Amino acid sequence: MWEQWDTFCLELATDPFLQAFQNKIPLLQVFAQRVRTGSLARDGNPLRARSVEDYVRHVAQTFLAVGSKDPRLNSANDIDFTLRRMFKAWKKEDPPPKRVKPVPVQVIRRIAFIAQHSNCEHQKAIADMIILAFFFLLRPGEYTDTSTRTRNPDKAPFRLGDVQLFVGNTRLDILRAPAAVLLTATFASLTFDDQKNSVRGEVIGLATSGDPYLCPVKSLVRRILHIRPNVTHHDVPLARVWLRTSTTSVRPKDITATLRQAVTFLGPELGFLSSDVSARCLRASGANALLNSNVDTDIISLIGRWRSDEMLRYLHVQNRELMKDYSRLMLSG
């Protein structure tokens, strides 16, 4: 975001901290307008008001980081009225946010069934990462791979070194333990280190599900058995795939395409179209499955690392199983 601001200031032939300007608000407004239209957005696409506000906030935070005054503030130390009014007007213009729809477990089971009978390592890896995302309530940036390891918490996929496997209380050596021993694992955990909104070193663990394929522990074992013949270290993403003559990765677009194919195959009785689903759905899907099983919402928040109840409120009101009796109860009450 700062690079976009720097580019903007370079076009104006002024320094990025605007030391020559007493009133910096008009320049922030022009910058915000260009970000909103996409000309100064990172991906070149038009942005919603909230995202534009993030750009301007990031610029202000960089000012503060070097000891300059927040350029958004007026003489009363409040966000300038014209900026606030501009963002408010844009929010009214924006369409309502498009909520993700939790895909039912039969979609994931269909994907797992196909992978189980496939000889394609990439397809098997996609299925395993979908299973892991569902059970551990993961964001796409956590369970899909990027081209290079980055410190950006939005793009910090889990690595082999983030996985722990156990048989009872005994922790297994995932690089050296025999395959037959790894297959007996009864508990697995992931260490959240660089991931978005995580507490550094936070560990989330799950036991076997009882299903021979649709299981977080079994999926992690399959990923380990695929990866470890090709590496000698732990710093490799779980979504990395070795083919006969090349190496590839599981990307968000692979997840989205696989989910949409399964939804199309299962048909309209699911209640939504293939265009309604994407890689972002799996986090909500896992939370919705726990909610339907009457798991306490505090536990769901802990597993999903939610800092607020926004997602859970959304899941409550769209959940058919939870909401189906309320009309009758309102009349009888």
Side-chain angles (χ1 to χ4, degrees):
M1 295 181 185
W2 179 259
E3 287 178 0
Q4 300 301 320
W5 170 257
D6 206 31
T7 300
F8 171 68
C9 292
L10 187 63
E11 292 176 0
L12 299 179
T14 186
D15 79 283
F17 293 101
L18 309 180
Q19 296 180 71
F21 294 87
Q22 184 69 25
N23 181 12
K24 301 174 176 58
I25 299 300
L27 289 173
L28 290 176
Q29 288 181 290
V30 175
F31 173 69
Q33 173 65 27
R34 293 190 183 179
V35 170
R36 180 164 172 81
T37 59
S39 63
L40 280 176
R42 284 176 295 181
D43 57 4
N45 295 321
L47 297 180
R48 293 172 178 264
R50 189 176 295 276
S51 297
V52 177
E53 202 170 356
D54 288 341
Y55 270 77
V56 176
R57 183 184 300 110
H58 185 88
V59 170
Q61 288 172 343
T62 308
F63 270 65
L64 292 170
V66 298
S68 296
K69 184 182 176 183
D70 188 331
R72 301 172 299 168
L73 302 184
N74 57 23
S75 57
N77 242 17
D78 292 326
I79 302 295
D80 186 82
F81 171 79
T82 55
L83 271 180
R84 287 191 286 110
R85 178 58 63 89
M86 184 173 69
F87 291 141
K88 184 177 180 180
W90 284 348
K91 287 175 183 177
K92 290 181 178 179
E93 293 174 1
D94 286 341
K98 187 176 181 180
R99 300 284 191 175
V100 297
K101 294 189 176 182
V103 294
V105 71
Q106 58 260 44
V107 173
I108 302 172
R109 191 174 295 281
R110 166 73 184 174
I111 294 168
F113 175 81
I114 293 174
Q116 189 175 7
H117 296 85
S118 172
N119 293 321
C120 176
E121 290 296 337
H122 192 222
Q123 191 170 29
K124 290 181 177 180
I126 292 172
D128 282 330
M129 300 317 295
I130 286 174
I131 293 168
L132 290 175
F134 172 76
F135 281 104
F136 281 98
L137 314 188
L138 302 180
R139 299 176 177 88
E142 297 169 345
Y143 69 91
T144 56
D145 187 18
T146 52
S147 57
T148 57
R149 177 71 173 165
T150 173
R151 301 303 296 181
N152 184 344
D154 287 331
K155 298 179 180 179
F158 281 105
R159 303 162 298 157
L160 196 61
D162 297 322
V163 180
Q164 301 86 39
L165 292 179
F166 298 85
V167 176
N169 294 324
T170 303
R171 181 173 174 177
L172 304 178
D173 186 334
I174 61 174
L175 284 182
R176 297 179 181 86
V181 175
L182 291 183
L183 290 168
T184 64
T186 56
F187 190 85
S189 65
L190 290 175
T191 300
F192 289 75
D193 189 11
D194 297 330
Q195 286 71 28
K196 183 179 179 181
N197 291 348
S198 66
V199 177
R200 295 293 299 274
E202 183 177 17
V203 179
I204 303 293
L206 292 172
T208 51
S209 66
D211 189 285
Y213 204 88
L214 213 60
C215 171
V217 180
K218 302 295 184 187
S219 291
L220 282 172
V221 171
R222 288 192 292 268
R223 297 309 308 139
I224 292 168
L225 292 178
H226 172 77
I227 292 171
R228 72 178 189 176
N230 303 286
V231 299
T232 57
H233 56 86
H234 290 85
D235 194 24
V236 56
L238 292 175
R240 192 67 52 84
V241 184
W242 279 262
L243 305 176
R244 289 183 179 179
T245 59
S246 62
T247 303
T248 186
S249 298
V250 176
R251 311 282 182 172
K253 64 180 182 180
D254 300 324
I255 301 293
T256 297
T258 301
L259 288 171
R260 289 179 176 176
Q261 287 170 5
V263 168
T264 300
F265 176 84
L266 292 172
E269 64 269 16
L270 289 174
F272 50 89
L273 303 174
S274 61
S275 58
D276 292 327
V277 299
S278 69
R280 296 173 56 241
C281 291
L282 293 168
R283 179 168 161 82
S285 300
N288 203 60
L290 290 171
L291 199 60
N292 277 345
S293 299
N294 297 318
V295 175
D296 187 271
T297 54
D298 288 339
I299 300 297
I300 301 175
S301 294
L302 284 174
I303 297 173
R305 293 97 50 218
W306 275 291
R307 302 294 179 85
S308 71
D309 61 353
E310 181 179 357
M311 172 62 82
L312 296 175
R313 285 203 308 270
Y314 162 63
L315 290 176
H316 267 96
V317 297
Q318 73 157 0
N319 191 311
R320 182 173 59 187
E321 290 302 311
L322 291 178
M323 303 297 290
K324 64 182 181 181
D325 293 329
Y326 286 147
S327 297
R328 178 179 54 80
L329 290 174
M330 290 168 76
L331 292 177
S332 64

